[in-house]
Amino acid sequence: MKVAVVSEDFHTLCGPAGKARRFLLFEAETGRRPQLERYLELPVNCPTYHDLHEDEAFFHPIDGMALITAEAGEGFRERLARRGTQVHITTEKDPHTAVSLFLEGRLPQKAPSAPHASQCA
């Protein structure tokens, strides 16, 4: 399973997911330690999910993966579900720990944020 983690500094899990340009991509399998596959930084000419708000047809590199973030709204989760992407909002800050906990079904959950709020720090 492919798991993407929002990480503005490539070290810490953060958000908001809609405007994120940097992700850690993991290959993850239950019962095995998640492997960091690569760092993904979207080029400036590649739209973020926020930019694709009305365009469900345009491909995004995270489509079809599980996405772990520190912040996302309910509408965002619903839109990405239609794109085949599961969005998980958590209080966990360590990307490796978050992916491991996700695989175990123990990822701390956080409620969706209000529209356009920001808590990446």
Side-chain angles (χ1 to χ4, degrees):
M1 162 188 289
K2 301 281 187 197
V3 180
V5 175
V6 175
S7 180
E8 224 18 71
D9 62 3
F10 291 126
H11 297 288
T12 307
L13 190 154
C14 68
K19 294 184 180 183
R21 291 204 167 274
R22 292 183 176 172
F23 304 87
L24 297 170
L25 302 184
F26 289 85
E27 181 62 44
E29 186 177 319
T30 304
R32 298 183 68 183
R33 188 177 194 291
Q35 298 298 309
L36 177 61
E37 201 170 72
R38 68 185 179 112
Y39 300 93
L40 172 65
E41 182 166 4
L42 299 178
V44 292
N45 64 340
C46 182
T48 65
Y49 275 125
H50 185 268
D51 299 328
L52 298 176
H53 191 53
E54 300 297 327
D55 184 6
E56 302 294 333
F58 188 85
F59 175 77
H60 188 282
I62 305 302
D63 284 349
M65 298 184 190
L67 175 63
I68 302 175
T69 184
E71 180 188 333
E74 189 58 43
F76 179 82
R77 287 171 74 171
E78 291 170 7
R79 274 192 307 112
L80 266 64
R82 290 192 301 268
R83 299 176 75 96
T85 302
Q86 311 166 29
V87 177
H88 303 275
I89 309 165
T90 187
T91 56
E92 177 58 54
K93 293 296 182 188
D94 179 72
H96 284 89
T97 301
V99 174
S100 293
L101 291 172
F102 165 70
L103 291 172
E104 296 169 5
R106 299 185 311 120
L107 182 66
Q109 298 295 305
K110 183 176 167 185
S113 59
H116 299 99
S118 180
Q119 300 174 12
C120 188

